[in-house]
């Protein structure tokens, strides 16, 4: 990155950027994240030829399209995931699906889907449970704040090493191996992609109206929120989950210390009564 005073991120500039990120996305950044933000936004400055953080802040303030904010939030988002991450959650889902009496495909939401592995894992679990009719439309909503991650998720193309833990029968049913220039890659088959709708959504903004969900997976997302924002998001989840439905959070998260109406089932799993 170019050197010089303009490319230093002052405490005041950092506080301004952190304030925008908190206001728009609910992500709470302490001063210990200053170097991280400096490095990630510095890439934006270098690629676009912006002459320092002061100019970047002016561009953010004057942008009327919202694209600059999306780019900023893309830059600060941390996306770490893999297929069937925290496998016990998918076992729990499979057990609940086995108890289902309705012939309708349950509605699932992968909130904070990152590059899509969680959403595809949910779709595989649905199909393996036998609860989805062969010609059913999308029944998994997959959302993320990052347009960059959503593009990767919708493409459904991954390195072979990302599916090393998946048994061979599932690989044959749901993935295609790349050949020639695509060797070493796999692509998700149409029988999975047809079940998923990928959409951009900022969890601190109002949720779109629509059908309620039987399961919401929001894992390792709320660790970036303070308690006030967590409670706000949790209450919105409660409104869009079916009675008897479940909220699943990450193992690094907890609802302890937050007032909420969910019934505790087991660590990281809560039910709407």
């Amino acid at each position: 990155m170019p050197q010089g005073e303009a490319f230093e991120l002052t405490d005041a500039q950092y506080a301004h950027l952190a304030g925008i990120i908190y206001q728009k996305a609910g992500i709470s950044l302490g001063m210990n994240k200053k170097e991280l933000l400096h490095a990630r936004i510095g890439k934006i400055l270098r690629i676009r030829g912006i002459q320092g953080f002061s100019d970047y802040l002016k561009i953010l303030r004057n942008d009327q399209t919202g694209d600059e904010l999306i780019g900023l939030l893309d830059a600060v988002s941390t996306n770490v995931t893999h297929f069937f991450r925290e496998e016990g959650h998918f076992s729990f889902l499979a057990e609940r699906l086995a108890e289902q009496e309705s012939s309708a495909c349950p509605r699932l939401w992968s909130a904070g889907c990152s590059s899509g592995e969680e959403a595809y894992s949910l779709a595989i679990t649905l199909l393996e449970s036998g609860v989805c009719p062969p010609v059913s439309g999308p029944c998994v909503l997959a959302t993320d704040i990052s347009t960059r991650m959503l593009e990767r998720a919708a493409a459904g193309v991954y390195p072979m090493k990302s599916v090393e833990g998946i048994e061979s029968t599932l690989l044959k049913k749901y993935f295609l191996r790349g050949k020639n220039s695509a060797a070493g890659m796999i692509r998700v088959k149409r029988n999975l992609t047809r079940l998923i709708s990928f959409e951009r959504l900022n969890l601190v903004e109002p949720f779109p109206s629509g059908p309620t969900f039987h399961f919401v997976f929001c894992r390792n997302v709320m660790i970036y929120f303070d308690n006030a924002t967590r409670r706000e998001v949790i209450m919105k989840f409660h409104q869009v989950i079916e009675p008897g439905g479940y909220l699943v959070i990450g193992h690094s998260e907890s609802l302890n210390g937050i007032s909420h109406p969910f019934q505790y089932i087991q660590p990281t799993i809560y039910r709407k009564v």
Side-chain angles (χ1 to χ4, degrees), residues 208-220:
S209 58
T212 50
F213 298 92
H214 298 88
F215 278 84
V216 171
F217 276 55
C218 184
R219 305 186 302 166
N220 307 307

Side-chain angles (χ1 to χ4, degrees), residues 20-155:
I20 293 172
I21 292 165
Y22 178 75
Q23 179 187 8
K24 299 298 185 180
I27 299 172
S28 181
L29 299 176
M31 284 303 293
N32 62 326
K33 299 295 185 182
K34 180 181 175 182
E35 290 305 314
L36 174 67
L37 200 64
H38 182 271
R40 291 190 178 180
I41 299 179
K43 291 181 181 178
I44 297 176
L45 306 188
R46 182 179 66 250
I47 292 169
R48 295 176 54 189
I50 299 172
Q51 299 302 306
F53 286 93
S54 179
D55 286 353
Y56 179 67
L57 282 166
K58 290 177 184 176
I59 292 170
L60 271 175
R61 283 195 298 268
N62 295 330
D63 177 52
Q64 300 297 313
T65 66
D67 291 344
E68 292 294 341
L69 176 62
I70 290 174
L72 170 63
L73 298 179
D74 275 0
V76 302
S77 300
T78 300
N79 299 281
V80 179
T81 187
H82 54 78
F83 287 96
F84 294 100
R85 185 183 185 187
E86 300 180 4
E87 190 172 357
H89 289 157
F90 297 95
S91 297
F92 181 87
L93 171 61
E95 291 167 3
R96 300 290 81 75
L97 293 175
E99 298 169 354
Q100 178 174 305
E101 297 179 358
S102 170
S103 59
C105 191
R107 292 179 297 277
L108 280 58
W109 181 6
S110 171
C113 69
S114 187
S115 47
E117 289 93 331
E118 177 180 271
Y120 291 121
S121 299
L122 292 174
I124 290 172
T125 307
L126 280 174
L127 289 176
E128 288 298 297
S129 71
V131 299
C132 273
V135 294
S136 64
C139 51
V140 178
L141 173 64
T143 66
D144 202 90
I145 197 170
S146 171
T147 53
R148 175 172 49 92
M149 285 295 105
L150 286 171
E151 288 172 0
R152 288 180 56 187

